[in-house]
Amino acid sequence: MPGRRVYVIGVGMTKFEKPGRREDFDYPDMAKEAATKALNDARVDFTEVQQAVVGYCYGDTTCGQRCVYQLGMTGIPIYNVNNACATGSSALALGKQLIEGGVSDCVLALGFEKMEKGSLKGGKFSDRTNPMDKHLETMMNNYELAAAPITPQMFGNAGKEHMQKYGTKPEHFAKIAYKNHLHSVNNANSQFQTFYTLDQIKNSPMIYDPLTKLQCCPTSDGSAAAVLASEEFVRKHKLENQAVEIVGLEMATDLTSTFDEGNCIKLVGYDMTKTAAKRLFDKTGLSPKDVDVVELHDCFSTNELLTYEALGLCDEGKAGEMVDRGDNTYGGKYVVNPSGGLISKGHPLGATGLAQCTELTLQLRGACGKRQVPGAKLALQHNLGLGGAVIVALYRMGFPKSRFQPRQAYTAATATGKDGFKSAAVFDEIEKQIKKDGAKFVKKVKGVYCFKIQGGPGGKEGVWVVDVKSGNGSVKFGANDKADCTITMKDNDFIQLMAGKLNPQTAFFKGQLKIKGNLALAMKLKEFQPKAEKSKL
């Protein structure tokens, strides 16, 4: 039976750090920072929180109490949760159930991790059964154990199986890591904010074939939190304009196929994810096609690719094609891991699920700045823990009619107002090319562009439509024809781009170049650049 609706009313997180980098960053410090940010974002005092659920993997008992007591000692129930890498989202799931079932109206979900340097070690205890013993045994039935950390062996072997079965290439995995590192450049909370070329990704030290170092998530210190509330609480505190509804959330654990089928794709949680996703979409009446933005568990680049298929973002065996089409980044069908994901943002185990919740909440509010996904209305979360557990959730604005709508920063130029735009000269040149060789351009490009040029005279926006799809092509100013690809840039930036002086990839991830619609068509824009000054788009 469906219960009460549950909303995220506040989120907060620390910057994720390399373990030990900050001296003043013990787990109580990071937890206090994240929880305080979430409470401030929710605009509620801690005294209104009725229960708290705290997730962490590495720590003594009652670390949750040690953290929450800093916020106030009000006698509320505090639960400590450990569910491997899905710990943060497990805390979120339990908090949701408390509100959904009518037990509480306001719950704090908090996750943190203070980790050791280097790759994850095996079990902490040598005098008892390791909970991953059957996973390791299943892998070793098919693969010789290598002198490498265990988890990259499991996920690396899963990637090899996908390559053997579907023809996926190592470059597909590298492209995923390249994308995530690029996305993180605009995330101030990301552990890494460095731009890496695809060659740097591919040529970084090999951890376990096909996974290079830059395709593996790092260990991290950090914390994240979310304040959850009932509809009654939201309305009482007038938080409708910021409340994000958890439309649905499903948890699944391992099925018999994890061990019985003897392959690493199933071993690392493919069927868990597929099962949870199916339940989620069936119960909510939504489908993967409705999703705009995704935060998923890219502990390794191979797992991100596998998860595309398990979530239903593409057909089974077609994830490599999805990567090649760019349907996992800005301008494509979905934007996956705009935060940078685990690979670049970092992976403090107990905080990851709540960091995903934080990112998606901010994306739906339109509050992510340069990494904002245009028009994001439905968000999908996936958080995986080997051993095993997976949580898949959907989010959307809870009260869209109450959402604050910012004023447009630019006014549209009139049909006769292209004078004063520096870019007008570019479009005049394009028009000359089309008049001369229009049929050739139509045959080669086959698309309609809409260019929104901002920052013109008096702060105006000029709109040009370049049709190289029908007839012999045309260029129109001030038109509102339906476009296959919409490109938005400032006047000066567009001039630099078309002259080959502004790198399009750099412009894209710095927010200077915004693309909506067909990304492959945007790449054909180079056809209109002067031949000697073409740059890669």
Side-chain angles (χ1 to χ4, degrees):
M1 292 289 291
R4 300 192 300 173
R5 292 184 173 182
V6 181
Y7 301 87
V8 181
I9 59 170
V11 291
M13 65 179 289
T14 67
K15 176 177 168 55
F16 287 177
E17 303 278 8
K18 181 179 179 180
R21 194 192 74 81
R22 279 177 56 180
E23 292 183 0
D24 61 338
F25 210 50
D26 198 0
Y27 75 89
D29 304 310
M30 61 180 78
K32 182 179 180 181
E33 179 183 334
T36 301
K37 286 179 177 178
L39 289 165
N40 289 341
D41 183 48
R43 293 185 283 142
V44 299
D45 190 79
F46 178 71
T47 56
E48 302 206 59
V49 175
Q50 297 163 342
Q51 303 205 50
V53 188
V54 186
Y56 58 95
C57 292
Y58 299 116
D60 293 323
T61 182
T62 67
C63 285
Q65 280 87 330
R66 176 64 178 82
C67 294
V68 174
Y69 285 173
Q70 301 173 109
L71 307 172
M73 298 180 70
T74 56
I76 62 170
I78 300 171
Y79 308 91
N80 293 272
V81 179
N82 180 338
N83 220 6
C85 298
T87 292
S89 58
S90 295
L92 179 74
L94 290 171
K96 175 179 180 289
Q97 289 177 2
L98 290 170
I99 291 172
E100 201 168 41
V103 178
S104 296
D105 283 303
C106 184
V107 173
L108 172 67
L110 172 64
F112 65 83
E113 210 68 68
K114 183 173 176 61
M115 301 185 72
E116 296 173 327
K117 296 178 181 179
S119 60
L120 290 178
K121 310 297 189 295
K124 283 286 184 183
F125 303 100
S126 59
D127 61 344
R128 64 203 70 180
T129 300
N130 188 309
M132 291 292 293
D133 63 340
K134 289 191 177 297
H135 289 75
L136 183 59
E137 179 184 340
T138 301
M139 183 184 76
M140 291 176 65
N141 286 338
N142 293 297
Y143 299 92
E144 184 177 342
L145 194 64
I150 297 298
T151 47
Q153 290 188 61
M154 290 182 176
F155 285 97
N157 289 331
K160 289 177 183 177
E161 290 173 2
H162 200 278
M163 292 165 65
Q164 293 163 3
K165 189 173 182 179
Y166 300 114
T168 310
K169 305 295 183 187
E171 184 157 316
H172 290 120
F173 305 128
K175 283 181 177 179
I176 287 171
Y178 169 75
K179 164 189 71 74
N180 290 346
H181 282 291
L182 274 175
H183 287 180
S184 74
V185 168
N186 288 320
N187 186 359
N189 288 323
S190 178
Q191 185 168 339
F192 300 124
Q193 292 175 261
T194 304
F195 168 79
Y196 293 103
T197 66
L198 184 58
D199 283 342
Q200 285 176 310
I201 301 285
K202 291 159 69 174
N203 296 328
S204 61
M206 183 63 69
I207 302 300
Y208 182 82
D209 190 35
L211 294 167
T212 63
K213 185 176 181 179
L214 290 174
Q215 297 178 57
C216 305
C217 70
T219 49
S220 314
D221 288 349
S223 179
V227 181
L228 311 181
S230 65
E231 183 171 355
E232 181 182 354
F233 189 95
V234 171
R235 292 190 183 279
K236 178 183 176 181
H237 291 77
K238 296 180 172 54
L239 298 171
E240 292 93 337
N241 68 327
Q242 68 187 65
V244 170
E245 182 181 3
I246 304 176
V247 184
L249 183 152
E250 291 293 323
M251 176 189 281
T253 55
D254 284 303
L255 305 169
T256 57
S257 58
T258 300
F259 303 128
D260 292 351
E261 295 191 15
N263 70 70
C264 282
I265 290 178
K266 300 296 179 72
L267 186 70
V268 297
Y270 184 90
D271 281 353
M272 272 200 298
T273 294
K274 189 173 182 178
T275 298
K278 185 178 188 306
R279 286 180 195 160
L280 178 66
F281 288 119
D282 285 348
K283 287 183 180 181
T284 59
L286 297 165
S287 81
K289 293 180 182 178
D290 299 316
V291 172
D292 301 300
V293 57
V294 184
E295 281 284 312
L296 64 75
H297 200 90
D298 62 316
C299 47
F300 301 93
S301 59
T302 50
N303 196 51
E304 177 162 330
L305 184 138
L306 295 171
T307 304
Y308 295 162
E309 298 176 10
L311 291 173
L313 303 181
C314 67
D315 292 337
E316 197 167 288
K318 300 295 184 181
E321 294 177 20
M322 177 178 168
V323 172
D324 287 336
R325 289 195 306 270
D327 275 343
N328 57 356
T329 189
Y330 297 86
K333 190 174 182 180
Y334 309 100
V335 179
V336 180
N337 288 329
S339 69
L342 283 62
I343 284 175
S344 197
K345 180 177 81 256
H347 184 27
L349 308 190
T352 287
L354 286 158
Q356 292 177 326
C357 173
T358 296
E359 177 70 16
L360 295 177
T361 295
L362 296 176
Q363 286 287 349
L364 292 169
R365 289 182 185 172
C368 281
K370 290 182 178 180
R371 69 179 187 281
Q372 179 62 46
V373 176
K377 293 182 179 179
L378 186 67
L380 175 64
Q381 176 185 8
H382 165 267
N383 188 201
L384 174 74
L386 285 184
V390 67
I391 288 175
V392 182
L394 285 168
Y395 302 80
R396 67 184 171 201
M397 290 302 297
F399 306 87
K401 291 183 180 179
S402 301
R403 183 177 177 182
F404 173 70
Q405 297 292 336
R407 293 175 58 189
Q408 291 294 323
Y410 299 92
T411 57
T414 64
T416 58
K418 66 179 181 179
D419 290 344
F421 281 92
K422 297 176 183 178
S423 299
V426 175
F427 292 107
D428 288 345
E429 184 60 33
I430 291 174
E431 188 171 19
K432 288 179 184 177
Q433 293 182 49
I434 288 176
K435 285 181 178 178
K436 181 181 178 182
D437 295 304
K440 182 186 75 173
F441 282 112
V442 169
K443 184 178 180 180
K444 186 178 289 188
V445 179
K446 299 177 183 177
V448 179
Y449 298 92
C450 174
F451 294 91
K452 294 184 177 181
I453 306 300
Q454 300 177 336
K460 290 181 178 179
E461 178 185 89
V463 178
W464 278 264
V465 173
V466 178
D467 184 346
V468 274
K469 189 175 185 178
S470 57
N472 290 320
S474 64
V475 177
K476 302 175 186 175
F477 177 75
N480 59 359
D481 301 29
K482 184 177 179 181
D484 301 305
C485 177
T486 300
I487 293 172
T488 304
M489 293 192 78
K490 290 185 178 179
D491 199 15
N492 287 331
D493 291 340
F494 184 69
I495 287 287
Q496 295 295 309
L497 178 76
M498 295 305 288
K501 296 179 180 179
L502 175 62
N503 181 283
Q505 291 176 337
T506 301
F508 182 68
F509 287 102
K510 284 187 174 181
Q512 294 171 283
L513 167 62
K514 297 179 182 178
I515 301 170
K516 184 178 180 181
N518 190 330
L519 184 62
L521 191 60
M523 296 173 68
K524 295 182 180 180
L525 186 59
K526 61 185 179 182
E527 298 296 332
F528 299 108
Q529 290 178 288
K531 298 297 181 184
E533 296 179 327
K534 283 187 180 180
S535 61
K536 294 180 180 180
L537 281 171

